[in-house]
Amino acid sequence: AKALADPAAAAALAELDAVLLGGGPAPRPVLDGAAEAGITVVRSYGSSETAGGCVYDGLPLDGVQVRIDGADADGVGLVVIGGATLAIGYRNPPDPDPFGEPGWFRTDDIGRLDDSGRLVVLGRADEAISTGGLTIMPAAVEAVLVRHPAVAECAVFGVPDDRLGERVVAAVVPVPGCAPALGELREFVAQSLDTT
């Protein structure tokens, strides 16, 4: 995101064959900004346990398998990776052991497979906010909020709530000289996300 704000850096990135982007769900504004700057972005997914990137733009490498465990009605659940790229396991495994099923590694990531079978990573299971029986992924809300013209940066997280379990909260850094109203931001998010 910072490179996109610097014309010289964006131009340098546009000269490359591709830029690998990993470490979490790719924010839509970053992907859109890269496309506008002529930067080819390849989203990568993997971890130390999978010997690095093993899924590129949602498609697993040859010999890599991806499945979603415990999927809800929308197909959202825990990402599980299988194949020859996996580590054998942990020296001192936690309980439950993510390598407990031979040949598979249970990640701590939440995702789904889209209609074409591509993996869509939504965020970390430990970041998920459980509010009133719904599971909210902070990255999805942050990606919408940061598109608001008065928002420079934001962070979304859960706080304890006696009635809902957790309440979704956003910390917003406004663009200098702007002061977005709470109602305005709520309406902006509601128009962009399925809030039913």
Side-chain angles (χ1 to χ4, degrees):
K2 288 182 180 181
L4 292 174
D6 179 338
L13 291 175
E15 293 179 16
L16 301 174
D17 291 337
V19 173
L20 293 179
L21 182 61
R28 178 53 46 198
V30 172
L31 295 175
D32 292 344
E36 289 173 18
I39 301 167
T40 301
V41 171
V42 175
R43 292 167 291 154
S44 65
Y45 177 75
S47 63
S48 300
E49 294 87 350
T50 63
C54 62
V55 178
Y56 291 85
D57 281 338
L59 298 174
L61 295 175
D62 288 343
V64 174
Q65 301 162 315
V66 176
R67 73 174 197 236
I68 304 298
D69 279 4
D72 64 14
D74 295 320
V76 175
L78 198 66
V79 178
V80 183
I81 304 285
T85 65
L86 290 183
I88 295 170
Y90 294 126
R91 182 173 180 203
N92 297 306
D95 187 24
D97 184 353
F99 289 98
E101 180 183 357
W104 292 92
F105 172 66
R106 293 178 59 80
T107 72
D108 286 326
D109 297 316
I110 300 291
R112 64 179 173 79
L113 299 175
D114 69 13
D115 293 338
S116 64
R118 289 178 183 259
L119 175 64
V120 178
V121 178
L122 302 171
R124 303 277 299 168
D126 55 3
E127 293 174 350
I129 302 166
S130 180
T131 181
L134 300 174
T135 300
I136 306 296
M137 299 307 297
V141 181
E142 291 168 354
V144 171
L145 269 175
V146 80
R147 289 195 317 248
H148 190 282
V151 176
E153 296 179 62
C154 65
V156 174
F157 49 93
V159 296
D161 184 278
D162 290 338
R163 186 174 61 86
L164 300 172
E166 285 183 289
R167 187 167 25 102
V168 180
V169 175
V172 173
V173 176
V175 169
C178 294
L182 177 60
E184 173 188 351
L185 294 178
R186 281 184 174 157
E187 183 177 335
F188 186 79
V189 170
Q191 289 174 356
S192 302
L193 291 177
D194 179 12
T195 57
T196 56

